[in-house]
Amino acid sequence: MNVDCHWIEENLERLAFEDDRLAQGHLAVCAHCREQIESLRAIDPMVKQVFEYDLAIARSPKRRRSPVLIGAFGTAIAAALLLIVAQVRQPASTPGTPAPPAMTSKIPAPEPATSPKIQNPGAVTGRAKPEATVPDRPSSVPREARQADRQAPEFLVTDLAGYSRTLNDYRGYVLIFGVWDSKDPQTAANLERVYKSVSANTKIRVLGISEDREVKPANTTFPSAVNQGSQLLGGKAGDIVVVDANGTIAFRGSLRDESSRLLRSVQSALTALGIQK
Amino acid sequence: MTPVAKRAGEEIDFEAAARECRPFLLQIAVASTRNPSDAEDVVQEALLRGYRGMKGFRGDCPLRIWLSRIVVRVAINHHRSVARRLKRWVFFGDMEFPSDDGTIHEYDPPDPLREFDRERMLDVRKHVKRLPDEFRLPLMMLAVDGMTVPEIAAVLEIPEGTVKSRIFYARKRLNATLRTKKRR
């Protein structure tokens, strides 16, 4: 039998060649084969070390669930903190007692928009704005809320030429509009007197509004318009409303009042707005 | 350890047998599974299956060999299970945690004088884990206390010659990997 590197390679599986003198002889002279066999023999002790290491891990007390618990606790604490932060921040951003959605006592709350005309998009022209949402608007600051409540809701009328007018068209002017009642000629007469008293002032616009398309009473000169189903800032037949340049209601009265008293109160409202006769 | 063999008409006290076999089965589980922290679970699962399947034990081999076969099967399935793998990813099951007294249980070499290169060992461990199951299992089982090639053959249900050649192949492959790495 000829023992050479090839033979050793083929019989490497035996690893131990102590009983084979020929192989021993070759290993004594061939460094390559010796190194190969030694490195192969070193594998088993290393594997034994690995095994013992793994066994120590397997025997060590396991606390594998702790990360789960830590995660659960962490999530719970984070959720609790979030809740607390949300609770703390909520009162800061909103008033303790929410402002009443209705207007101030001076101004009655407008009726909800129930008119089919305004809900029908065809009836609303391009310049018209949707119905006022002021009472429903959420308010974050009480002062703002009050201001918003006083903000006159948009109204929509058409003048006799057929053009629609909204409150925006009167921005920058003080608008005095009265809703005259065809059944009560006194209202139209009073409005006419108001119009006469302020018509000289270019800062003031006057509108006589009728709920229906009715013929304007004789001997009246005030500009006339027809309500298109809007709330008219809460004005009903026989009411007179003064809206300032910013669209805020400044005065609300009745055209059925005695004329001189009405004129006085309108005048005082205009004076309060800084408009002299 | 005395092998618990079933003889004709003899009832086996499974609980006592399991208690006796448990340390051995744990070693088999450590040799079979890629994640040693799962070894206890594997043994538990295998014992449960063994208990349920006692009727299938014909008594033609020692009970510990029969149970070892179950352990090997459970260990391989355990590793393959996608759910397990996901769980491991999510819950960091591979991590080692300190025990109650705050110390981390690591492999402690029995002989402090023996040279123990931990990094080298971990490197070998990494490569051992990468070996295919059919080569890794015989190689690791050879490290189990008292395991012989015929016993490995009995547990893995393959011929002795196959066990030997697989062990040789595993050694050779591991050697080649480690030497290539050394040369780099």
Side-chain angles (χ1 to χ4, degrees):
Chain A
M1 188 175 64
N2 183 22
V3 174
D4 54 5
C5 290
H6 185 66
W7 185 90
I8 293 283
E9 183 78 37
E10 279 187 344
N11 291 275
L12 211 51
E13 199 174 333
R14 280 162 62 183
L15 275 188
F17 297 98
E18 280 87 2
D19 53 339
D20 197 329
R21 283 173 61 196
L22 282 172
Q24 287 279 349
H26 176 76
L27 287 177
V29 292
C30 181
H32 172 73
C33 288
R34 204 168 50 235
E35 192 193 333
Q36 205 171 7
I37 288 195
E38 274 168 10
S39 61
L40 271 182
R41 280 180 186 161
I43 293 289
D44 276 13
M46 282 193 288
V47 172
K48 182 79 177 169
Q49 281 183 357
V50 169
F51 175 76
E52 283 175 2
Y53 178 83
D54 280 359
L55 196 62
I57 292 175
R59 282 177 179 158
S60 67
K62 241 188 332 182
R63 295 174 67 189
R64 274 176 41 206
R65 290 204 183 275
S66 35
V68 183
L69 289 176
I70 289 166
F73 272 120
T75 315
I77 288 167
L81 279 174
L82 275 174
L83 275 174
I84 290 166
V85 168
Q87 289 270 331
V88 167
R89 289 187 72 176
Q90 207 166 9
S93 59
T94 56
T97 50
M103 286 188 179
T104 50
S105 56
K106 188 180 165 190
I107 303 155
E111 289 167 9
T114 51
S115 168
K117 278 181 190 172
I118 211 75
Q119 285 164 3
N120 180 9
V124 182
T125 63
R127 289 164 76 187
K129 286 200 169 177
E131 272 309 301
T133 54
V134 170
D136 298 324
R137 193 191 308 175
S139 52
S140 57
V141 180
R143 179 183 282 181
E144 266 183 30
R146 276 202 302 277
Q147 193 72 27
D149 284 345
R150 282 179 68 90
Q151 197 81 20
E154 288 290 342
F155 84 151
L156 181 74
V157 295
T158 49
D159 60 18
L160 294 182
Y163 291 106
S164 61
R165 306 253 177 204
T166 67
L167 212 56
N168 257 353
D169 300 330
Y170 298 100
R171 283 283 153 91
Y173 299 100
V174 172
L175 173 68
I176 302 172
F177 72 87
V179 189
W180 56 271
D181 190 352
S182 56
K183 293 177 191 116
D184 189 352
Q186 173 72 15
T187 55
N190 271 343
L191 187 60
E192 178 67 17
R193 265 183 212 113
V194 171
Y195 176 60
K196 286 272 167 62
S197 73
V198 299
S199 58
N201 195 324
T202 52
K203 291 277 180 192
I204 297 172
R205 292 285 182 272
V206 178
L207 263 187
I209 297 169
S210 63
E211 282 290 356
D212 300 312
R213 189 171 278 276
E214 287 169 55
V215 183
K216 205 166 65 166
N219 304 324
T220 55
T221 51
F222 55 81
S224 189
V226 180
N227 185 22
Q228 291 295 335
S230 67
Q231 296 173 38
L232 293 178
L233 315 182
K236 296 186 184 64
D239 281 359
I240 182 164
V241 178
V242 178
V243 182
D244 73 10
N246 297 319
T248 309
I249 295 169
F251 169 76
R252 192 188 285 274
S254 174
L255 286 172
R256 293 188 174 89
D257 278 358
E258 201 264 313
S259 58
S260 56
R261 215 176 88 201
L262 176 69
L263 276 174
R264 266 204 307 278
S265 44
V266 168
Q267 202 54 58
S268 64
L270 291 175
T271 314
L273 290 173
I275 291 171
Q276 301 303 319
K277 196 171 184 180
Chain B
M1 192 187 299
T2 51
V4 185
K6 188 183 183 184
R7 292 187 184 80
E10 190 186 332
E11 279 296 311
I12 292 175
D13 182 1
F14 188 84
E15 207 184 312
R19 211 178 298 127
E20 194 187 343
C21 290
R22 208 183 165 99
F24 175 76
L25 294 179
L26 185 70
Q27 290 195 48
I28 296 288
V30 167
S32 316
T33 182
R34 285 195 158 99
N35 186 7
S37 35
D38 288 342
E40 277 285 356
D41 297 345
V42 166
V43 172
Q44 196 58 39
E45 170 81 18
L47 284 176
L48 191 69
R49 286 196 196 178
Y51 180 73
R52 283 188 190 143
M54 257 327 261
K55 277 179 193 165
F57 179 51
R58 296 184 301 274
D60 51 358
C61 66
L63 183 67
R64 66 176 194 142
I65 298 294
W66 185 72
L67 286 174
S68 299
R69 286 177 191 162
I70 303 176
V71 167
V72 170
R73 253 173 263 146
V74 169
I76 290 170
N77 288 343
H78 201 75
H79 180 73
R80 282 182 188 159
S81 148
V82 176
R84 286 286 316 165
R85 235 176 282 174
L86 276 178
K87 205 174 158 190
R88 205 173 294 139
W89 271 104
V90 174
F91 298 132
F92 312 105
D94 269 338
M95 287 172 67
E96 293 155 28
F97 298 103
S99 63
D100 293 330
D101 55 356
T103 56
I104 296 175
H105 284 254
E106 284 182 351
Y107 170 64
D108 191 23
D111 181 8
L113 293 174
R114 197 175 79 187
E115 196 186 342
F116 177 70
D117 188 350
R118 190 169 185 273
E119 268 186 34
R120 169 119 179 113
M121 189 276 298
L122 287 176
D123 194 35
V124 174
R125 182 173 183 250
K126 189 173 79 186
H127 290 296
V128 169
K129 304 279 174 197
R130 280 182 190 168
L131 286 174
D133 278 345
E134 65 240 59
F135 302 110
R136 185 177 55 87
L137 256 56
L139 186 70
M140 285 293 277
M141 276 187 191
L142 208 60
V144 175
D145 287 339
M147 267 307 241
T148 57
V149 171
E151 269 189 324
I152 296 173
V155 170
L156 296 179
E157 295 173 283
I158 47 175
E160 277 183 42
T162 313
V163 173
K164 279 184 193 166
S165 69
R166 282 186 184 177
I167 289 173
F168 173 63
Y169 175 83
R171 278 182 196 142
K172 222 173 148 183
R173 189 159 157 174
L174 209 56
N175 189 32
T177 323
L178 293 171
R179 284 179 97 173
T180 328
K181 217 185 160 208
K182 213 182 206 174
R183 243 178 258 140
R184 268 184 222 155

